[in-house]
Amino acid sequence: MPPARRTAPFCSASCGGLADAVYGFPRGPTSDIPGGVDARSLSLPVMPSGAAIPMDAETAATYGLTLRGDARAHGLFDRFGRAHTYLRISVTERCNLRCRYCMPEEGVQLLPKDHLLSFEEIERLAALFVRLGVRKIRLTGGEPLVRRGIDDLVARIGALKAHGLERLMMTSNALLLREHIPALLRAGMDAVNLSLDTLRPERFRRVTGREGCEETIAAIHAAARAGFRKVKVNAVVMKGVNDDELVDLARAFARELPIEMRYIEYMPFEGNGWGEELEMFPAASIRGRLEEQLRLEARGLNDGGAGTAQMYDAFEKDGRPFQGQIGIISSMTEPFCGTCNRTRLTADGHFRWCLLDEGEIDLRAPLRAGATDGDLAGLIEQGLRSKRAGHAPAAVLKETQKAAGPTHARSMIRIGG
Ligand code: 5AD
Ligand code: SF4
């Protein structure tokens, strides 16, 4: 005897309202964003619910539903079950510095202006990502503070906190930071990662191609006093360039202030001289160099184990504790792909699922051609489906980038740091 048909008053194959609430793909022109719907007006959350009813085919049938394959991109899961709750949005490819490790010596061909996503477009995509499960957004570049009107954009993204966004952060070289601090704080900016590889002006000039060492240091100190929840300093460590300054950097920022001083293994990107004129200084050596003068106590990976930095409490050898922590990021020698929760949106509107994979999907063209949020979510899902378990070793990356050449491989400045 067939099972008694259960009534399912709200759920049927033609469910409109509930399907919209669940999948969040609204219908109808309810938006103030040209060509789109107001994603912010929709109900979140979209993360997996622990209270879901197990849904086998037979139970589903009583609701008039048939299983059609894997669940949608909600929660932004990839094939390996990694939930992508972190989106890094590059807002410009321009920068007021020329760091050797970030961009090719000859610079990069700048985007035609209309290739750049507008604030409205960034806001719409950010809102969509938040609806799909993103909880942390970082604004990057190039240098995000060189984009005209950036305070307005930060405020727009900050407003997504009312709709599920939990953290808003920015990576900047700090040169223009001081004048923006009040606006960033007002907009809900929680944390800033500020880049500085050396305390010596002459070296700064050599690495970045510009002046600005003293201003950067002053801006970092100002940020630490301004009330952000977190201030981090990022130094990319290169052999023979700044590997003799690691302890000085830690003392300058993390000893008296609650700043996290982070040392990053130098990664190969198109045209950045990796393994040629510039060499990596591995994480193990970074730690060794610090321990020549400091005592480090391991605290595990940041973000409760999901982060990218091995964290340490630091002490002078006489026992005096540092106010801030030390982080070491070993992307090359000990990759952390297993816990990767990151995706990226480039300044020209391409979705990337891995920093070190050339794969990307254009969201800008469909967006401008009138794609619905559902269409865009489908493309995001397609991208995540091709995300690999891990990235290739450094030497292989270097070769792939070389073979692809500057028109196909993106330098760091064009991906977004
Ligand atoms: N290797 C590692 N980190 C890099 N960054 C830029 N280029 C590289 C590279 N080749 C990081 C810097 C900077 C941020 C924008 O990106 O730490 O803080
Ligand atoms: Fe600019 Fe940052 Fe790249 Fe340096 S690392 S050139 S500051 S984007």
Side-chain angles (χ1 to χ4, degrees):
M1 206 167 109
R5 197 173 168 81
R6 239 182 282 160
T7 48
F10 302 113
C11 311
S12 73
S14 59
C15 171
L18 188 60
D20 285 350
V22 172
Y23 286 109
F25 302 144
R27 295 164 193 149
T30 54
S31 172
D32 56 354
I33 299 169
V37 288
D38 188 353
R40 296 157 302 177
S41 68
L42 291 158
S43 62
L44 294 158
V46 287
M47 292 304 287
S49 149
I53 305 167
M55 196 51 91
D56 56 28
E58 199 174 84
T59 322
T62 66
Y63 287 82
L65 297 172
T66 348
L67 279 177
R68 286 162 204 265
D70 289 340
R72 296 298 309 262
H74 287 256
L76 294 169
F77 290 103
D78 69 359
R79 291 178 296 154
F80 306 100
R82 290 172 295 195
H84 292 74
T85 52
Y86 183 5
L87 174 68
R88 300 169 69 102
I89 303 177
S90 170
V91 302
T92 177
E93 291 188 347
R94 290 190 303 124
C95 187
N96 42 359
L97 295 182
R98 293 280 173 275
C99 301
R100 277 295 296 119
Y101 52 74
C102 174
M103 61 161 88
E105 201 144 33
E106 63 281 9
V108 292
Q109 179 92 39
L110 285 182
L111 285 173
K113 195 141 191 287
D114 64 331
H115 285 211
L116 199 66
L117 291 185
S118 67
F119 286 180
E120 288 72 22
E121 290 168 332
I122 295 176
E123 185 184 15
R124 173 163 173 212
L125 288 174
L128 174 62
F129 272 99
V130 169
R131 268 189 22 241
L132 294 173
V134 161
R135 294 294 172 262
K136 282 202 307 192
I137 290 183
R138 175 177 297 281
L139 300 178
T140 70
E143 167 52 38
L145 295 177
V146 303
R147 175 115 186 215
R148 201 171 312 131
I150 183 70
D151 294 344
D152 174 28
L153 179 65
V154 175
R156 286 168 184 244
I157 308 287
L160 294 174
K161 286 194 170 174
H163 302 274
L165 181 68
E166 290 168 5
R167 290 280 160 85
L168 177 59
M169 305 165 300
M170 179 181 274
T171 296
S172 160
N173 63 28
L175 269 182
L176 299 173
L177 180 68
R178 283 205 276 184
E179 62 195 270
H180 290 276
I181 287 177
L184 296 182
L185 285 169
R186 264 197 312 277
M189 183 65 66
D190 296 289
V192 284
N193 283 18
L194 306 171
S195 316
L196 183 67
D197 313 302
T198 171
L199 299 163
R200 305 183 195 173
E202 168 50 30
R203 230 179 233 189
F204 183 95
R205 209 172 299 129
R206 243 184 302 133
V207 174
T208 70
R210 297 282 187 275
E211 302 294 332
C213 192
E214 292 89 343
E215 175 55 31
T216 308
I217 295 171
I220 293 169
H221 285 142
R225 288 189 297 266
F228 292 106
R229 285 168 62 160
K230 192 107 202 178
V231 175
K232 300 179 189 175
V233 174
N234 286 347
V236 176
V237 187
M238 291 154 290
K239 193 169 164 190
V241 175
N242 60 349
D243 60 325
D244 56 345
E245 266 193 89
L246 307 187
V247 172
D248 293 349
L249 282 162
R251 286 183 175 141
F253 299 117
R255 190 164 62 182
E256 271 93 36
L257 289 165
I259 294 177
E260 185 179 315
M261 182 65 223
R262 311 199 319 163
Y263 304 92
I264 306 180
E265 276 182 346
Y266 171 39
M267 295 182 274
F269 289 102
E270 202 286 310
N272 79 350
W274 189 95
E276 291 156 1
E277 67 269 24
L278 293 172
E279 263 183 74
M280 185 177 80
F281 193 71
S285 310
I286 294 174
R287 183 172 170 174
R289 194 50 68 81
L290 289 166
E291 287 184 322
E292 284 168 13
Q293 295 183 57
L294 306 174
R295 186 167 68 78
L296 300 184
E297 261 178 34
R299 288 282 171 247
L301 276 180
N302 65 333
D303 284 350
T308 55
Q310 286 291 346
M311 299 303 303
Y312 299 90
D313 287 338
F315 304 83
E316 291 291 352
K317 289 266 162 125
D318 64 11
R320 270 179 304 154
F322 279 42
Q323 299 296 307
Q325 285 187 304
I326 303 281
I328 302 180
I329 303 185
S330 57
S331 336
M332 292 294 106
T333 57
E334 295 157 42
F336 25 75
C337 305
T339 53
C340 180
N341 61 357
R342 292 165 167 66
T343 54
R344 291 180 147 80
L345 182 63
T346 64
D348 58 350
H350 287 65
F351 172 59
R352 290 184 71 113
W353 41 92
C354 174
L355 174 63
L356 296 165
D357 179 335
E358 299 301 333
E360 57 182 36
I361 287 184
D362 182 13
L363 299 180
R364 186 189 71 227
L367 183 73
R368 292 185 180 172
T372 64
D373 285 0
D375 298 335
L376 295 169
L379 291 170
I380 293 166
E381 189 180 34
Q382 185 188 327
L384 276 181
R385 229 181 276 135
S386 33
K387 179 156 174 157
R388 302 204 178 110
H391 65 71
V396 177
L397 287 171
K398 175 80 195 159
E399 284 316 305
T400 326
Q401 291 160 0
K402 230 183 185 158
T407 42
H408 291 103
R410 283 182 189 254
S411 49
M412 183 65 151
I413 196 161
R414 295 202 53 233
I415 300 172

